[in-house]
Amino acid sequence: MASLVLFLPSSPYSSSPLPPKPQPQPPPPPTPPTPVPAAARPSRLRALFARAAARRDPEPSPAAPAEAAPAAAVEERRSLAAALLLRGTGATRGGGAAVEEVEKRDGVVWEQRPEDVEAERRRRELTSPGFSFSAAGLLFPYHLGAAQYLMDKGYITERTPLAGSSAGAIICAVIASGNTMQDALQVTKDLADNCRSKGTAFRLGAVLRDVLDKFLPDDLHIRCNGRIRVAITQLSWRPRGLLVDQFDSKEDVINAVITSSFIPGYLAPRPATFFRNRLCIDGGLTLFMPPTSASETVRICAFPASRLGLQEIGISPDCNPENRATPRQLFNWALEPAEDEVLDKLYELGYKDAAVWAEQNSTEFIVKNGQPLGID
């Protein structure tokens, strides 16, 4: 009864009738909120986006600011969603400073940090040719064999410019490291054995990173700076090909070649990865065989170039059509680790194809304009 008394308008002992129940009043109309400038609204998501997926897309045209703003908002939401997805899957960010400048060269969008651009300006263009290695998946031994021949015959020296995408980027780092191609072939066999026994998809990236960290020297970045170019595909409103040729550390080089090799959903269980705070995937998507810093680039493709519709390829299985694996075999070996005898065969095929190319280019490529190969 005590609790009931609290809700009655008069004492329970009074004989007077209860007053009529008041009718509810309609709520007042809502007051419109005072608009707050977008820049003044704190947003943890906006800060996350700025850190995780910062980009330098071209500024919108002044002629149509009203149309450009919605497009930019849609792009921000898309990139933010991708960044949050990767954050949830445990993706890690690569080291290095943010890209500051953009150049276009030979139809390639080439983004570099200010110190990278300055280093490129100081470098005199080479008249001797460089060598570019294609994306190849697990056909890595083919590139090892081709590189071995070119090194044996003096086409590739300690200063020859190199470029590569995916597996091609890895071979560039291996050549610059000073390790022998035979040692690299043995490491490739160890990696293949690990993947055959424990699986390839979703874990190849972690295994590859561990192998490269143990195999490559600590001064790798010094050996690579200005000499090798690593192709990467940046994801923005459209995929863009990026070239990187200046590195801060050995880890920075490894991050670059792992990013260049990042086949979505294959190297790791996520759709993309981060490199220098940018959302990126396999460089072969946009730069299958990137240009070197030399005035001429000899391109090396692990697949039959004619079957892919590629032109102006120097070294490929087309050099030796009577002694090569079938395209079906090559594509199968590119995705799943082959047995050791197949890896040895790929190495041999690369060596022989390079030899056939050298028979047709033995004089004009050894010396260009009186300069030995690789001298700058």
Side-chain angles (χ1 to χ4, degrees):
M1 283 299 294
S3 60
L4 179 61
V5 173
L6 295 176
F7 291 95
L8 293 177
S10 61
S11 169
Y13 303 103
S14 173
S15 59
S16 61
L18 295 175
K21 184 177 182 181
Q23 297 297 321
Q25 298 297 323
T31 303
T34 303
V36 180
R41 292 196 299 267
S43 172
R44 295 179 61 188
L45 295 182
R46 186 183 299 275
L48 171 64
F49 168 75
R51 291 195 304 269
R55 58 187 190 282
R56 291 183 57 85
D57 289 339
E59 296 295 331
S61 172
E67 298 178 2
V74 171
E75 168 57 21
E76 178 171 337
R77 287 195 296 270
R78 289 176 179 172
S79 297
L80 176 58
L84 291 175
L85 174 62
L86 289 175
R87 186 172 184 241
T89 58
T92 58
R93 296 166 174 77
V99 172
E100 295 292 344
E101 297 205 14
V102 178
E103 294 185 4
K104 288 188 177 180
R105 180 175 302 177
D106 299 330
V108 175
V109 178
W110 185 31
E111 300 195 14
Q112 298 182 309
R113 298 165 299 176
E115 59 268 29
D116 303 343
V117 175
E118 183 60 29
E120 180 67 17
R121 291 194 183 115
R122 293 195 303 265
R123 188 180 306 115
R124 185 157 55 92
E125 185 177 47
L126 301 181
T127 56
S128 55
F131 291 87
S132 176
F133 295 84
S134 74
L138 295 176
L139 297 178
F140 186 68
Y142 181 91
H143 282 333
L144 291 175
Q148 183 65 66
Y149 182 90
L150 296 173
M151 295 168 69
D152 289 345
K153 302 303 179 181
Y155 290 92
I156 293 180
T157 71
E158 293 182 354
R159 305 180 73 180
T160 302
L162 305 170
S165 178
S166 192
I170 297 175
I171 185 63
C172 291
V174 170
I175 294 173
S177 73
N179 284 297
T180 70
M181 300 302 102
Q182 285 294 332
D183 287 344
L185 178 61
Q186 182 56 53
V187 170
T188 303
K189 291 179 179 179
D190 295 340
L191 182 147
D193 181 66
N194 182 298
C195 291
R196 285 194 299 266
S197 61
K198 299 180 180 180
T200 303
F202 302 150
R203 60 182 302 272
L204 178 59
V207 177
L208 179 60
R209 181 180 294 276
D210 183 63
V211 166
L212 293 177
D213 185 60
K214 294 177 180 177
F215 183 66
L216 298 174
D218 291 338
D219 64 345
L220 178 66
H221 58 295
I222 299 175
R223 298 168 181 259
C224 291
N225 278 344
R227 182 187 180 190
I228 77 168
R229 286 181 172 179
V230 175
I232 293 171
T233 296
Q234 177 191 329
L235 297 179
S236 184
W237 65 278
R238 62 178 175 83
R240 298 194 300 175
L242 307 180
L243 289 175
V244 180
D245 72 350
Q246 296 290 323
F247 309 94
D248 300 328
S249 62
K250 171 185 174 180
E251 181 183 9
D252 196 28
V253 181
I254 293 177
N255 287 339
V257 299
I258 292 289
T259 303
S260 181
S261 306
F262 196 94
I263 301 174
Y266 183 68
L267 255 68
R270 56 182 184 268
T273 188
F274 280 96
F275 177 71
R276 294 178 179 174
N277 295 327
R278 290 182 169 225
L279 201 61
C280 301
I281 58 173
D282 193 295
L285 178 65
T286 51
L287 293 167
F288 193 67
M289 283 172 288
T292 67
S293 59
S295 58
E296 262 186 89
T297 296
V298 178
R299 289 174 166 81
I300 304 170
C301 182
F303 300 97
S306 59
R307 295 293 186 96
L308 299 179
L310 301 176
Q311 298 179 351
E312 299 181 359
I313 306 302
I315 300 172
S316 80
D318 289 341
C319 290
N320 200 3
E322 296 182 358
N323 183 23
R324 71 180 186 190
T326 67
R328 181 184 296 274
Q329 287 175 319
L330 290 175
F331 282 108
N332 287 339
W333 294 336
L335 296 176
E336 290 296 332
E339 299 296 329
D340 287 357
E341 56 269 20
V342 174
L343 299 179
D344 288 331
K345 180 180 180 181
L346 289 171
Y347 183 94
E348 178 184 352
L349 290 174
Y351 193 94
K352 290 183 176 180
D353 290 347
V356 172
W357 171 84
E359 290 176 0
Q360 303 171 358
N361 302 277
S362 57
T363 302
E364 59 194 272
F365 281 89
I366 293 179
V367 176
K368 296 283 288 187
N369 298 335
Q371 293 188 7
L373 280 175
I375 301 299
D376 57 1

